[in-house]
Amino acid sequence: MRSQHRENGMRLLQVGMGGWGRDWASTVVPAVPEVEPVGYVDTAPESLTTLVESGLAADAMCFSSTAEAIAATSPDAVLVTASLPGHVPAVRAALEAGLHVLVEKPLAPSMKEARAIVELAAERKLTMMVSQNYRFQPAVRVVRKIVREGVLGPLNSITIDFRRASVKRTAPTGRPLMTDPLLGDMSIHHFDLVRAITGLEAHDIVCRTWHPDGYGYGGPPAGAALITLQDGLVVSYRGSWVSSGAVTAWAGEWRMEFERGEVWWTSRPDGSEPGVVESVRLRSDGVGDRAVPLPQLPRTDRAGCLTEFEASVRKGRTPETAGRDNLGSLAMTYAAIESARTGVPVTLG
């Protein structure tokens, strides 16, 4: 079984070389020298052609099937950056070959499929991690510490706003064609951060989505939800791909009210939002409003994810965003989608 970590680094096979996969290959993997790319897989010949023409790979490193690539390259692990329908087949092929896996979110198209591959990883004693990259940011680390250490007393409420502006169009490509472009592609990040920061699972969700006229999305690009966590804490969430308001950073704008104060924070700006920066501000009784210093993380975002994956395999420990843990974030997402479609609250099991 090829599950041993090499002394000279993790040999990494990447599956899914569309635009997002090529971005991983060009900007993320090179930032983590502990891993060595040994091959690339895509069922679409044009994706592999583009990969080679861009100078990211040689012809000999490109394959049309995961099984063929595994046999030819003897990797230690597989990075799955394919579109959602390709996640489960690629992850299963890797696990059955005895390989560790890092897979893009969402983990699987359904909870049943997600649980099945989580159990397969456990049976094979292999690491299977989901790339929930928003966790690997300075502001998130600071806010989690404030909550977990009870700096301001008990947490009473959370309000999250996510706003992005789309140009009106009738022939969209990529994300706009998704059935649930807001909840399935973006809100899963915010839901995962709720769990990461509070340490709590969701008890129930009520969600509504809508589709403003003139925007060429395959599903509703705007929505709002009330999420009740297991201890009764209520999270108010609003998100939109078609907002005319000031755009937020990708992690959104968060206001968290505690017994003795409030924390306002935002995270993961991309430089396109004037004045939007990674920041945490705290207001407490007798102290007033102040900025909280942010730590310098050696690697953030997807590079932080890949670093955590490599380290967890090398050290034989469970990664922060292991597949089993990620089931809670996936369940929140699919519960929100179900509630939006049915019009009734959904209780999570």
Side-chain angles (χ1 to χ4, degrees):
M1 181 170 66
R2 302 185 191 96
S3 59
Q4 299 301 311
H5 188 78
R6 314 284 174 116
E7 290 183 2
N8 61 343
M10 171 186 281
R11 292 173 58 82
L12 190 69
L13 174 68
Q14 186 175 346
V15 179
M17 303 313 303
W20 190 239
R22 291 194 296 274
D23 188 73
W24 268 89
S26 63
T27 65
V28 182
V29 176
V32 183
E34 296 87 350
V35 304
E36 175 192 359
V38 296
Y40 303 93
V41 180
D42 202 291
T43 56
E46 58 271 22
S47 292
L48 296 177
T49 299
T50 301
L51 183 73
V52 173
E53 291 178 346
S54 66
L56 290 171
D59 278 317
M61 299 177 71
C62 297
F63 303 88
S64 60
S65 81
T66 303
E68 178 190 6
I70 290 172
T73 63
S74 298
D76 302 308
V78 173
L79 168 63
V80 180
T81 54
S83 59
L84 180 56
H87 284 192
V88 172
V91 172
R92 182 172 292 279
L95 294 175
E96 289 177 345
L99 303 175
H100 306 288
V101 181
L102 173 62
V103 57
E104 263 287 6
K105 59 78 196 167
L107 172 56
S110 70
M111 290 305 300
K112 180 179 179 181
E113 292 169 287
R115 293 188 185 100
I117 57 174
V118 165
E119 292 308 319
L120 178 59
E123 291 168 8
R124 300 299 177 96
K125 296 182 171 55
L126 294 167
T127 297
M128 201 271 286
M129 175 178 165
V130 181
S131 178
Q132 292 283 180
N133 51 304
Y134 285 29
R135 291 197 188 199
F136 296 87
Q137 299 288 344
V140 174
R141 299 305 197 192
V142 166
V143 174
R144 181 168 65 180
K145 189 171 186 288
I146 290 171
V147 173
R148 301 295 177 88
E149 294 183 356
V151 173
L152 297 175
L155 177 59
N156 292 332
S157 69
I158 299 175
T159 301
I160 307 166
D161 277 290
F162 168 76
R163 297 183 300 275
R164 286 275 154 168
S166 293
V167 176
K168 291 189 177 184
R169 52 188 175 178
T170 57
T173 58
R175 178 185 292 121
L177 290 177
M178 295 177 179
T179 304
D180 297 287
L182 175 69
L183 298 176
D185 186 56
M186 181 48 59
S187 301
I188 188 171
H189 282 298
H190 306 134
F191 296 162
D192 183 69
L193 288 178
V194 169
R195 296 179 57 249
I197 289 166
T198 66
L200 298 170
E201 301 294 339
H203 177 269
D204 60 75
I205 296 178
V206 58
C207 182
R208 298 291 182 271
T209 55
W210 56 94
H211 198 155
D213 291 339
Y215 291 93
Y217 282 78
L226 281 179
I227 305 162
T228 304
L229 303 184
Q230 287 178 333
D231 71 342
L233 179 70
V234 174
V235 179
S236 174
Y237 176 77
R238 296 187 300 181
S240 177
W241 281 121
V242 295
S243 175
S244 58
V247 300
T248 66
W250 288 98
E253 292 176 347
W254 294 58
R255 287 192 177 275
M256 305 174 66
E257 294 186 8
F258 299 79
E259 182 180 68
R260 298 191 300 274
E262 180 185 40
V263 170
W264 178 92
W265 66 277
T266 188
S267 179
R268 203 177 180 269
D270 62 9
S272 67
E273 316 93 351
V276 178
V277 296
E278 182 110 359
S279 66
V280 178
R281 300 199 67 85
L282 183 150
R283 181 191 58 77
S284 59
D285 296 345
V287 176
D289 181 38
R290 63 183 177 89
V292 181
L294 300 181
Q296 291 292 320
L297 302 184
R299 293 171 191 159
T300 61
D301 208 69
R302 285 178 289 159
C305 258
L306 184 55
T307 299
E308 168 70 1
F309 175 64
E310 186 278 333
S312 68
V313 172
R314 174 164 41 85
K315 297 176 181 179
R317 62 169 173 79
T318 302
E320 178 174 342
T321 55
R324 188 173 300 280
D325 174 80
N326 191 252
L327 292 176
S329 301
L330 197 64
M332 288 178 71
T333 302
Y334 289 141
I337 290 172
E338 181 183 347
S339 178
R341 291 177 179 172
T342 63
V344 298
V346 174
T347 299
L348 286 75

